[in-house]
Amino acid sequence: MKNKVIYEKLLELFQERIHGIKDSNEDEQWSFSVYWFTRILYKTGCFLCYVIVLISHWGKGKPVPAIKNDLLLLSATKVAEKIRSGKLTSEEVVNAYIERIKEVNPYINAVAESRFEEAVKEAKECDYLVRSGIYTKEWLEKEKPLLGVPVTVKVLFNVKGCHSTGALTLFKDIAATEDAPAVELLKSSGAIILATTNSAESGLGLDTINILYGKTLNPYDCNRTPGGSSGGESALISSAGSVIGLGNDLIGSVRIPACFTGLFAHKPSRGLVPNKGCFIQAESVLPYLASGPLCRYAEDLATMMEVLTSKNNERMKFNKPVNFKKLKIYYQTKVHHPMVETLDKEILKSMMTAIHHFVQIYGATAEEVNIKMNLAPNMVHHSLVKSSEPTVFNSTAGKMSEVNVPLEFLKLLFGKSNFSLWILLGFAFLRNPLLYKEENIPFYTKYQNNMYKEFDSMLDENSVFICPTIFFSAPRPYQMIPYLYSTVWSAIFSILGFPVTQVPIGSNRSGMPYGMQIVTAMNNDNLSLTCAKELSKLFGGWIPPS
């Protein structure tokens, strides 16, 4: 009986304290005990997960083969310029990337579906257009800024003629009959789509693993994950199998994979880039979903954003100069939550180097802030479960509602399930009463609104907020499962809608990349992109895996 009372007290205080319902000072000792009880339980789970995964992914894996063709080392912006001026042909660029994909894909398994024959045909048409002289170079630069440039697109986007599967076996035979709006914008700019790339099932996972296409691996170490859900896109671009690509971001699904593979990526301001035409269509999740670019070179972020916002009435100038002398930098590195990792010291050191660069070279000002983030992971959890769980059922024509989760877990052990571990765990645990309570939603809605106001009042046209993208470099596949709440710095800005740029800022001793985020005021995307270009000079940007 006594143990039952203690358990009930712990459960009550866990819900009240961790979820933020009670703010009084009573039972302080109990609150402290609950925090550390949860922390110890969490770290034990992380350790057990690490041991299990280490057995199946032992040691350091091989990187992808070194790059031999110098064409693959040009930015998309430079490739487009050379094609317009006749110094390169689109056909030779496209063929170079096709050969590279064939070389690296056996290592990383990043491609969902290729369209190589169509791409070569489209490249020849681009070259004919340039040779014809019908349009001036200046006209092509303005109207077709990516003419002849090969790109790749995450499989969750509809690409006409390609399979629109959502990375689920349930939809393996369904083909898209039209392009997603963002894909259409890329095509209108002259870009040539080489392939669609792998994703977590229906985009719900922090690894890129599914039954239909298999497991995508990190090009720097093929025993590690490229992250998710845009891991196929990030792995292929970082391997130089693509120069630029399109992904979508819900809790960091563009930024975290870019961080794990040493790339630049941008989550645009809410509503700036069209995000329809994806596997997940429900209106409830669209405010949190963002379509954005991944690339190896910082200058390509602005080029891609010019293209992706070309039909938006709120279109902004993306290469507008920035006066760094007026720059105000706010930064924070900590989240006081029992299920969030502490920041890796190497990442912290590089972040501070980036901040000091702007302060010492340009005279910018920097200030460490202490925004209360202890409830943010729980707020993100409640927001996403509320919006995305019914979305999964609706977007799969009700097929997901028929899933027998215990039976699918059993079938997974014997390799017979239609679902990966990630999505089954989501079904099983996202509504766990220790983590999620329906009655807490009004509280977290208010918390979300207050947090938005706090960032909105802090950020103006000359200020940025700097924080980690994620707290560590790429782990092994499935090790991200206990680290769900450690995505908080990425996820919070998906929920709030502010624009964020992921910037690679170094590698650890094992050669695995890591990065940081630059956040700006709403519709001030150009500032973070310009800061990213400056930091690419300081840190060297993308470093080829070898």
Side-chain angles (χ1 to χ4, degrees):
M1 180 64 70
K2 184 179 179 182
N3 288 340
K4 184 179 179 182
V5 171
I6 292 173
Y7 169 78
E8 288 175 351
K9 183 70 172 176
L10 279 170
L11 182 60
E12 176 192 354
L13 283 164
F14 183 91
Q15 288 291 348
E16 292 173 340
R17 296 292 188 169
I18 302 302
H19 293 292
I21 303 303
K22 183 185 285 187
D23 292 318
S24 69
N25 291 322
E26 64 185 67
D27 297 325
E28 202 65 45
Q29 188 173 354
W30 274 100
S31 178
F32 180 83
S33 300
V34 170
Y35 177 91
W36 282 106
F37 172 78
T38 309
R39 181 76 175 167
I40 291 167
L41 194 65
Y42 165 71
K43 294 300 285 186
T44 302
C46 289
F47 176 75
L48 291 174
C49 181
Y50 174 78
V51 171
I52 293 169
V53 170
L54 193 63
I55 294 170
S56 58
H57 295 83
W58 180 260
K60 183 176 174 61
K62 292 181 179 179
V64 295
I67 300 165
K68 303 178 187 70
N69 190 334
D70 289 343
L71 271 182
L72 304 176
L73 297 174
L74 294 172
S75 70
T77 305
K78 288 185 173 62
V79 167
E81 183 183 339
K82 288 179 178 290
I83 289 173
R84 288 193 299 267
S85 62
K87 295 176 181 177
L88 275 179
T89 65
S90 175
E91 185 178 3
E92 63 183 310
V93 176
V94 166
N95 279 324
Y97 274 99
I98 290 173
E99 289 305 310
R100 181 61 177 174
I101 290 174
K102 291 177 179 178
E103 182 180 28
V104 300
N105 201 54
Y107 289 79
I108 57 174
N109 187 40
V111 173
E113 184 174 0
S114 62
R115 54 185 309 278
F116 295 157
E117 289 184 13
E118 298 95 327
V120 171
K121 180 181 177 182
E122 290 165 13
K124 290 178 179 179
E125 292 171 357
C126 289
D127 293 333
Y128 174 79
L129 183 65
V130 172
R131 288 195 305 269
S132 70
I134 297 173
Y135 302 106
T136 65
K137 180 182 173 182
E138 291 72 25
W139 186 92
L140 291 174
E141 183 178 5
K142 182 181 178 182
E143 301 296 329
K144 301 283 183 182
L146 291 175
L147 182 68
V149 177
V151 303
T152 44
V153 175
K154 184 179 181 180
V155 74
L156 294 195
F157 288 92
N158 290 334
V159 177
K160 188 176 180 180
C162 292
H163 286 86
S164 181
T165 63
L168 284 159
T169 56
L170 293 174
F171 306 98
K172 63 181 180 180
D173 298 322
I174 296 177
T177 56
E178 58 183 19
D179 292 317
V183 174
E184 187 178 351
L185 288 170
L186 286 176
K187 287 184 174 181
S188 297
S189 74
I192 297 171
I193 297 177
L194 284 179
T196 59
T197 54
N198 201 9
S199 166
E201 284 175 341
S202 68
L204 303 177
L206 297 174
D207 290 309
T208 299
I209 299 172
N210 57 68
I211 304 301
L212 182 58
Y213 301 121
K215 177 168 56 181
T216 298
L217 299 167
N218 195 301
Y220 292 86
D221 180 343
C222 290
N223 268 343
R224 293 184 181 268
T225 181
S229 59
S230 304
E233 198 62 41
S234 71
L236 194 64
I237 294 172
S238 187
S239 302
S242 178
V243 60
I244 49 176
L246 181 66
N248 51 13
D249 192 308
L250 189 57
I251 63 168
S253 296
V254 163
R255 289 161 287 153
I256 292 171
C259 179
F260 284 170
T261 55
L263 300 177
F264 295 90
H266 185 66
K267 186 202 80 65
S269 295
R270 180 167 292 160
L272 195 60
V273 173
N275 59 6
K276 293 189 176 182
C278 299
F279 177 72
I280 296 178
Q281 294 280 6
E283 295 295 325
S284 60
V285 80
L286 287 180
Y288 303 142
L289 189 67
S291 303
L294 300 89
C295 52
R296 285 180 270 142
Y297 302 101
E299 66 177 329
D300 289 340
L301 288 174
T303 302
M304 280 284 278
M305 287 302 297
E306 288 277 5
V307 169
L308 293 172
T309 60
S310 57
K311 301 297 182 183
N312 193 318
N313 293 331
E314 300 296 324
R315 188 179 182 186
M316 63 188 71
K317 185 75 174 173
F318 284 102
N319 280 308
K320 181 180 170 183
V322 169
N323 185 354
F324 290 133
K325 291 181 181 180
K326 295 182 179 180
L327 188 66
K328 293 175 288 185
I329 301 172
Y330 301 97
Y331 65 96
Q332 186 170 332
T333 61
K334 296 178 181 179
V335 177
H336 189 67
H337 189 282
M339 295 170 65
V340 173
E341 290 295 296
T342 53
L343 182 62
D344 186 289
K345 291 181 179 178
E346 290 178 291
I347 302 175
L348 176 59
K349 183 179 178 181
S350 292
M351 278 183 56
M352 297 312 298
T353 298
I355 292 167
H356 290 155
H357 171 78
F358 287 110
V359 172
Q360 293 171 359
I361 301 298
Y362 295 103
T365 60
E367 178 186 343
E368 185 172 9
V369 295
N370 187 25
I371 297 169
K372 291 183 178 180
M373 294 287 294
N374 57 312
L375 301 181
N378 309 81
M379 182 271 287
V380 170
H381 187 139
H382 280 69
S383 298
L384 292 179
V385 172
K386 178 187 69 172
S387 63
S388 66
E389 190 177 50
T391 292
V392 172
F393 297 137
N394 295 338
S395 63
T396 57
K399 291 186 178 182
M400 288 294 200
S401 59
E402 302 168 7
V403 175
N404 184 326
V405 176
L407 178 60
E408 290 297 335
F409 269 114
L410 184 62
K411 289 165 67 176
L412 186 66
L413 293 175
F414 298 95
K416 300 296 183 181
S417 176
N418 286 321
F419 303 97
S420 70
L421 179 60
W422 264 107
I423 203 163
L424 292 178
L425 286 172
F427 281 133
F429 294 112
L430 283 180
R431 283 186 171 268
N432 186 300
L434 283 175
L435 302 173
Y436 177 86
K437 289 182 74 176
E438 198 86 38
E439 55 264 40
N440 284 355
I441 287 176
F443 172 85
Y444 285 116
T445 300
K446 182 179 178 181
Y447 179 84
Q448 177 184 331
N449 292 336
N450 289 338
M451 182 163 277
Y452 179 91
K453 290 175 184 176
E454 188 165 8
F455 277 102
D456 189 50
S457 63
M458 180 174 65
L459 296 171
D460 60 28
E461 63 177 354
N462 295 312
S463 60
V464 298
F465 178 77
I466 287 177
C467 62
T469 303
I470 195 164
F471 294 82
F472 40 81
S473 56
R476 289 170 171 78
Y478 295 110
Q479 274 185 265
M480 288 295 291
I481 288 172
Y483 295 149
L484 178 64
Y485 277 19
S486 291
T487 64
V488 58
W489 276 127
S490 294
I492 188 67
F493 297 110
S494 292
I495 301 300
L496 300 180
F498 291 98
V500 192
T501 303
Q502 139 66 27
V503 182
I505 56 173
S507 303
N508 64 16
R509 291 175 220 173
S510 300
M512 301 306 297
Y514 51 75
M516 71 176 201
Q517 295 183 116
I518 304 173
V519 186
T520 62
M522 203 69 78
N523 294 319
N524 195 22
D525 301 50
N526 178 65
L527 179 57
S528 65
L529 301 188
T530 308
C531 289
K533 287 177 71 174
E534 178 68 19
L535 291 179
S536 72
K537 301 171 189 174
L538 176 66
F539 292 105
W542 166 76
I543 306 297
S546 60

